[in-house]
Amino acid sequence: APTTEAPTTEAPTTEAPTTEAPTTEAPTPEAPAPPRWGQIPGYGNCKKYGFDINTCYHDYGFVDGDCLCAPGLWEGHYTWYQWVCTKKNGAPHQTYFCDQHCQSCHP
């Protein structure tokens, strides 16, 4: 004899709403602090001759306070400056001389 089976109905599945963990963005790295001109030996002496002072010595591992800004006299006029670095990270170090754009930086 034939059997009759009741039709099966599946209950609709409902998924619980997913809650994603809040995303936290990685902190943006801080930009290097601007130079503290008062901590740069000779800054005022170079600035009074109208030089735009940079801190290119950072490229060679020196920090503010390691290097002295020394203006250079040419034919009676201060036309250039150099960095004279006698410390590295605040500790005594072999003296390095860097031109004002640090294209050359050597003992």
Side-chain angles (χ1 to χ4, degrees):
T3 59
T4 54
E5 294 182 14
T8 58
T9 58
E10 293 183 21
T13 58
T14 58
E15 293 182 23
T18 57
T19 56
E20 295 179 20
T23 57
T24 56
E25 295 181 23
T28 305
E30 291 184 32
R36 295 181 189 161
W37 298 117
Q39 293 181 347
I40 300 174
Y43 169 78
N45 200 29
C46 284
K47 196 67 179 167
K48 75 180 179 184
Y49 295 111
F51 294 117
D52 283 330
I53 309 300
N54 63 49
T55 54
C56 61
Y57 50 79
H58 290 164
D59 297 342
Y60 292 89
F62 298 103
V63 297
D64 296 342
D66 287 348
C67 304
L68 164 78
C69 186
L73 194 60
W74 175 256
E75 297 184 351
H77 301 282
Y78 287 97
T79 59
W80 57 276
Y81 69 91
Q82 68 178 341
W83 293 108
V84 181
C85 305
T86 59
K87 299 176 188 173
K88 197 156 198 174
N89 290 314
H93 188 271
Q94 178 183 9
T95 300
Y96 270 67
F97 300 92
C98 305
D99 68 62
Q100 69 189 43
H101 302 294
C102 294
Q103 294 171 338
S104 174
C105 196
H106 57 82

